[in-house]
Structures are given as C-alpha cells and as structure tokens.
Amino acid sequence: MRKSMYGPLPKSRNSPLEPFDYSPPDLVPIELIHQDRRVLVVNKPNGLLSVAGKHPAHADCLEARVQSEFPAARTVHRLDRDTSGVMIFALDAASHRHLGQQFERRMVGKIYHAKVHGNPSQDSGTIDLPICTDWPN
C-alpha cells in the first residue's frame, strides 16, 4: 500500500494505462502576463494539465504549449487541471533553481478563490488540510 506523510494513499480510480476523460481547452494563444530574459509568467486556463500526464492522451498541457513558443521554458510549479491561475516558467537553469527553492521553502504566497455551489454559512473561511495526490495521471 502506498503511503504519504498523512497516512495511506487511496487507490487511484485510473490505471496508468487507462486514460481519464481529458478534454483540454482549444489551442488558444498563451496569455503571457510577464516576460523578461529569465522568467515567463503565464495564465493557465482551467481544464488544462500543467504538465503532461503518463498516458499519451494526456500529452497536451500548458508546459508543452509554452515550450512550443519558448523552448527553454522549464516548469517551476504546477496547478491542478481544473484550477486556473498564474504559473511561472524559468528560462534558464539558475532561475529554475532559485524559483524552485522559493516554492520548496514556502516563501511564495498563494491565494486561491473558489466558486461555491449552494449557500455557505459564512462569507469567508480557510481550509487548512492536506491534499492527496492522484499519481497515475
């Protein structure tokens, strides 16, 4: 049984050989928020994988789309498929290492906004729970 620091991981619903239902958004121009000689900041649309999945049907991802225009771009962090938001790509090894260390040391602040169905009892709140990984994608 696979384990994480939070205990056993649940069995995946998907086998690495069986693709999950994936319909990425149409190929649209990359929405570039910032570009300099070391870094790209890009808006990731929801429904698109940040990096390619294991199955060939999951190859279309933001990383591949960015690298088609910026071959040196290296992914610094990821967002879940159904999450839209800002992603950072390094354009050289030193920037990749430096930015990666900032994420690893939790020096990067992140804010998530959620669309909620129903009528929440409070106007705002915080969820402070571990998130489980779905490895086979």
Side-chain angles (χ1 to χ4, degrees), residues 1-12 132 135:
M1 175 175 281
R2 300 177 313 157
K3 292 186 177 182
S4 75
M5 62 188 281
Y6 303 109
L9 294 173
K11 288 187 177 181
S12 172
C132 180
W135 291 109

Side-chain angles (χ1 to χ4, degrees), residues 9-116:
L9 294 173
K11 288 187 177 181
S12 172
R13 300 171 304 231
N14 303 305
S15 158
L17 301 176
E18 297 174 17
F20 55 83
D21 184 29
Y22 181 47
S23 300
D26 292 335
L27 291 172
V28 294
I30 294 168
E31 187 179 338
L32 198 56
I33 297 169
H34 172 81
Q35 176 184 1
D36 61 35
R37 64 186 180 83
R38 304 189 84 173
V39 174
L40 296 174
V41 180
V42 176
N43 186 33
K44 183 189 105 47
N46 71 317
L48 182 64
L49 292 169
S50 293
V51 297
K54 292 180 181 177
H55 194 279
H58 308 146
D60 186 10
C61 62
L62 184 62
E63 179 181 62
R65 293 181 184 193
V66 168
Q67 288 175 344
S68 72
E69 294 184 35
F70 303 93
R74 297 172 68 181
T75 303
V76 173
H77 65 101
R78 297 178 285 183
L79 292 174
D80 290 342
R81 176 186 63 187
D82 294 327
T83 301
S84 63
V86 175
M87 282 191 57
I88 302 168
F89 292 85
L91 294 174
D92 59 58
S95 298
H96 189 260
R97 183 174 47 258
H98 182 70
L99 290 164
Q101 288 173 346
Q102 290 181 51
F103 275 88
E104 184 179 320
R105 294 176 182 155
R106 305 213 184 279
M107 298 169 68
V108 176
K110 302 178 209 170
I111 298 173
Y112 292 88
H113 295 273
K115 292 181 181 179
V116 179

Side-chain angles (χ1 to χ4, degrees), residues 113-127:
H113 295 273
K115 292 181 181 179
V116 179
H117 178 75
N119 203 4
S121 60
Q122 299 176 343
D123 290 337
S124 65
T126 301
I127 299 172

